[in-house]
Amino acid sequence: MEIDDSLYSRQRYVLGDAAMLHMAKSSVFLSGLGGLGVEIAKNIVLAGVKSLCVHDTQAATTWDLGTHFFLDPADVEAGVNRAVASVPRLAELNPYVEVRSCTEDLHSTVDLSFLRQHQCVILTGCSIRLQSRVDEFCRTQQPPIKFISADVYGVFCRAFCDFGPVFHVWDPTGEETKEIFIQNITQGNPGVVTCIDNKPHGLQEGDRVTFKEVYGMEALNGMNTSITVINSYTFGIGNTSQLTPYKHGGLAKQLKAQKTFTFEPLKSQLQSPSCLLVDLSKPEAPLQSHFALLALNEFYEQHNHLPSPSSLEDAETLYELAVSFGQRMRDPVEPDQRVITCLSMSSQGCFPPLVATLGGLVAQEALKALTGKFSPLFQWFYLDAIEVMEKLKIGNEDEFQPRRDRYDALRMCVGNETCKALQGLKAFMVGCGAIGCEMLKNMAILGVGTEPSKGLVTITDPDLIEKSNLNRQFLFRPHHIQVSDCGLFYFIFYSDMNVIVTLIFAFPLKPFFCYNRQHFF
């Protein structure tokens, strides 16, 4: 199997051929093609797996347009299934990836054996009960199927990984191995290796090295041993007192150390979570979010709906459930009223920046699961953006009232006044590369610059589109390669949104593209 270097050149440099080939032979199952699901799917397809099966049972709605960049009003009007509508648009991103859809109801499916054809299973928008059932099935397979679940509720998001009882990572860091030229090796216990010209060796305690081209102390050649760091320029290698004296030369090469992770099943992790701390300013946030979202799941199970953003009663009920879950933790925790209130107010909505962030992270974890390269998430990831709600007050019903437009999901998180402010915003952005395309997509979904008489988004980029751009910039297609022009370009991101992106300056510019329509005037 050959790797298309003209498409994957930059990714190939980061991952290496072995990881790329692993991905090209792997199949992924992704359930839930809402805003989060399509973000994950987009990233996985661009990366270049063998196949992706996208699963969903829901028809496209106007609400979905606020987070789902591959749906348009025609899909909503026709009532098309979200997965079915997304398949051809995802398939456009990478000709090497087979993308197909599935619309069966997982909750009523007794036999999960169809999942055996996949190496990684990702669930979004599913109940804890279904997540636990699928996770248990995945763990019992030989080899275990890698399991990931993820959700976004308002201004809160979470992800969970279970890669089985024994998961080997052959390259935890992805860094190049170090080669150290030797100036001297002492006879002693330990023998001390000194780097030539006092150059730092860059090794860490416990690293393993092997030796070659050592003269005098030839017994070291081909030997690999762990080291102890003495200082930045010297390290110990064990007992060399019985070896012949060192004369000259020699090279010490760092060896990659395989790392093994033991994941616990979801059921065990519910009561005693292993959480990654991502915001040092809020060290208590992961655990608070953990049982708050468990309480939210229980609220939905009892009432068959999420808390109403304007209901004080729903907020109080959610707090009582959170207290109960906090007491059941291995180390009991008192819930933060502010966290519970923000979750109750926003849970029916969806904050697009969190969707984009979590979509990238989950896709990254899926690639780690498939390749065994880079240390995986172990095992919970929580992130919140409650700061955007600090000025909002529960009970202000009009501020969160749905307007039956594409911004309802955002409105339930930040309020109508903030939505209006975004729509009237004037923004200028330099660069439409990989990050630039993502920023443009996020701005369009947030409605930045959509007010015709006031808002405007201006972008500029002098580069030409190369084939390698298609691997990481989902707004471009093969027919855009080497596209250039001079002067002024106008493009409408979605035909009914009136987002004007102006590319200015009199030199070749990179126009940007999105699935819905190409509009160059």
Side-chain angles (χ1 to χ4, degrees):
M1 181 182 297
E2 293 187 5
I3 299 172
D4 186 346
D5 192 63
S6 62
L7 177 64
Y8 294 119
S9 57
R10 293 197 182 185
Q11 182 175 293
R12 188 179 188 180
Y13 178 78
V14 174
L15 297 179
D17 286 359
M20 291 289 295
L21 292 173
H22 273 297
M23 283 197 305
K25 298 176 182 178
S26 301
S27 177
V28 178
F29 178 86
L30 169 61
S31 177
L33 254 286
L36 176 59
V38 77
E39 280 282 356
I40 298 169
K42 175 255 294 180
N43 294 325
I44 289 177
V45 171
L46 288 174
V49 297
K50 178 182 179 181
S51 66
L52 172 68
C53 178
V54 290
H55 166 267
D56 202 284
T57 60
Q58 299 182 35
T61 65
T62 301
W63 190 95
D64 290 314
L65 299 180
T67 57
H68 198 304
F69 48 80
F70 274 155
L71 293 178
D72 61 29
D75 298 318
V76 176
E77 185 176 351
V80 182
N81 177 279
R82 296 186 301 185
V84 173
S86 301
V87 164
R89 300 155 196 182
L90 288 167
E92 284 185 334
L93 298 177
N94 195 330
Y96 297 106
V97 180
E98 175 194 353
V99 185
R100 61 185 187 278
S101 63
C102 173
T103 59
E104 296 180 7
D105 187 357
L106 282 183
H107 288 85
S108 61
T109 301
V110 176
D111 185 10
L112 296 176
S113 60
F114 71 94
L115 294 175
R116 291 195 181 108
Q117 62 186 297
H118 305 285
Q119 285 71 52
C120 181
V121 170
I122 306 171
L123 300 185
T124 69
C126 296
S127 67
I128 294 292
R129 183 182 306 173
L130 179 59
Q131 292 178 38
S132 297
R133 178 169 163 248
V134 174
D135 177 47
E136 185 176 352
F137 173 84
C138 291
R139 285 181 67 89
T140 59
Q141 305 309 301
Q142 294 298 327
I145 301 171
K146 312 306 184 290
F147 174 83
I148 303 174
S149 66
D151 291 292
V152 177
Y153 291 102
V155 295
F156 294 81
C157 70
R158 70 176 171 202
F160 171 78
C161 293
D162 178 8
F163 297 166
V166 180
F167 179 68
H168 299 297
V169 178
W170 57 272
D171 184 359
T173 65
E175 297 178 0
E176 293 185 6
T177 54
K178 298 175 176 65
E179 291 189 343
I180 301 134
F181 289 94
I182 297 170
Q183 179 172 304
N184 184 51
I185 305 175
T186 65
Q187 286 178 296
N189 189 13
V192 177
V193 179
T194 303
C195 304
I196 197 167
D197 296 331
N198 280 334
K199 291 185 177 180
H201 50 70
L203 298 175
Q204 297 182 4
E205 191 77 16
D207 281 354
R208 299 191 70 83
V209 298
T210 186
F211 294 90
K212 63 179 180 180
E213 301 176 10
V214 175
Y215 291 89
M217 207 174 277
E218 284 88 353
L220 289 179
N221 290 327
M223 178 187 298
N224 70 76
T225 182
S226 62
I227 66 102
T228 56
V229 175
I230 298 175
N231 56 43
S232 299
Y233 314 104
T234 60
F235 57 90
I237 58 170
N239 191 353
T240 60
S241 59
Q242 303 302 315
L243 303 182
T244 55
Y246 172 81
K247 292 183 179 178
H248 63 85
L251 189 70
K253 183 175 181 180
Q254 182 187 27
L255 298 174
K256 286 287 185 181
Q258 177 176 285
K259 192 172 182 179
T260 300
F261 291 83
T262 301
F263 287 83
E264 293 184 353
L266 178 60
K267 284 184 178 179
S268 300
Q269 280 285 304
L270 292 177
Q271 303 302 322
S272 183
S274 300
C275 300
L276 175 67
L277 178 60
V278 296
D279 189 345
L280 297 179
S281 68
K282 299 189 289 187
E284 74 292 341
L287 195 56
Q288 287 285 339
S289 295
H290 179 75
F291 61 76
L293 288 172
L294 291 181
L296 186 68
N297 179 80
E298 184 65 24
F299 185 100
Y300 186 86
E301 292 283 344
Q302 293 180 7
H303 303 278
N304 202 32
H305 68 81
L306 293 172
S308 170
S310 58
S311 173
L312 294 170
E313 182 180 351
D314 284 355
E316 183 60 33
T317 301
L318 184 63
Y319 180 79
E320 292 173 357
L321 289 171
V323 170
S324 175
F325 276 99
Q327 293 173 348
R328 290 185 229 166
M329 295 290 110
R330 181 172 297 179
D331 298 316
V333 179
E334 184 70 23
D336 186 331
Q337 181 72 62
R338 175 168 165 262
V339 170
I340 303 302
T341 300
C342 288
L343 179 60
S344 181
M345 291 173 65
S346 68
S347 62
Q348 288 189 17
C350 192
F351 192 47
L354 280 184
V355 172
T357 300
L358 191 63
L361 181 136
V362 171
Q364 175 180 272
E365 295 308 312
L367 300 186
K368 293 178 185 178
L370 298 174
T371 63
K373 184 163 185 175
F374 303 116
S375 295
L377 167 65
F378 191 83
Q379 294 191 248
W380 292 94
F381 171 88
Y382 285 96
L383 186 65
D384 67 73
I386 61 176
E387 291 78 9
V388 302
M389 301 187 67
E390 286 183 345
K391 295 182 180 180
L392 303 176
K393 294 182 179 180
I394 193 168
N396 187 354
E397 185 174 349
D398 185 64
E399 184 72 6
F400 302 96
Q401 190 69 30
R403 268 68 168 175
R404 296 185 179 180
D405 60 22
R406 65 168 69 233
Y407 303 114
D408 279 346
L410 173 64
R411 188 173 288 113
M412 290 181 178
C413 297
V414 300
N416 193 53
E417 286 302 314
T418 301
C419 287
K420 289 181 178 180
L422 289 170
Q423 292 164 16
L425 189 66
K426 290 184 178 179
F428 177 76
M429 187 178 73
V430 179
C432 300
I435 296 176
C437 284
E438 290 292 325
M439 291 293 292
L440 283 170
K441 176 258 295 176
N442 292 337
M443 285 193 289
I445 287 177
L446 289 169
V448 173
T450 56
E451 187 175 332
S453 61
K454 188 177 180 181
L456 182 69
V457 177
T458 307
I459 62 175
T460 181
D461 191 318
D463 295 335
L464 299 178
I465 300 170
E466 305 292 343
K467 186 176 181 180
S468 62
N469 294 125
L470 306 185
N471 171 236
R472 59 191 181 277
Q473 289 154 246
F474 82 107
L475 299 180
F476 304 145
R477 299 294 182 272
H479 59 271
H480 293 118
I481 294 174
Q482 291 300 307
V483 168
S484 66
D485 205 343
C486 296
L488 189 65
F489 286 82
Y490 297 93
F491 177 77
I492 301 176
F493 194 97
Y494 283 118
S495 58
D496 65 331
M497 287 181 66
N498 298 319
V499 174
I500 299 176
V501 180
T502 60
L503 299 177
I504 56 179
F505 300 118
F507 47 66
L509 299 170
K510 182 190 300 179
F512 89 92
F513 171 81
C514 185
Y515 161 76
N516 193 45
R517 299 287 186 271
Q518 298 175 59
H519 294 284
F520 295 98
F521 300 94

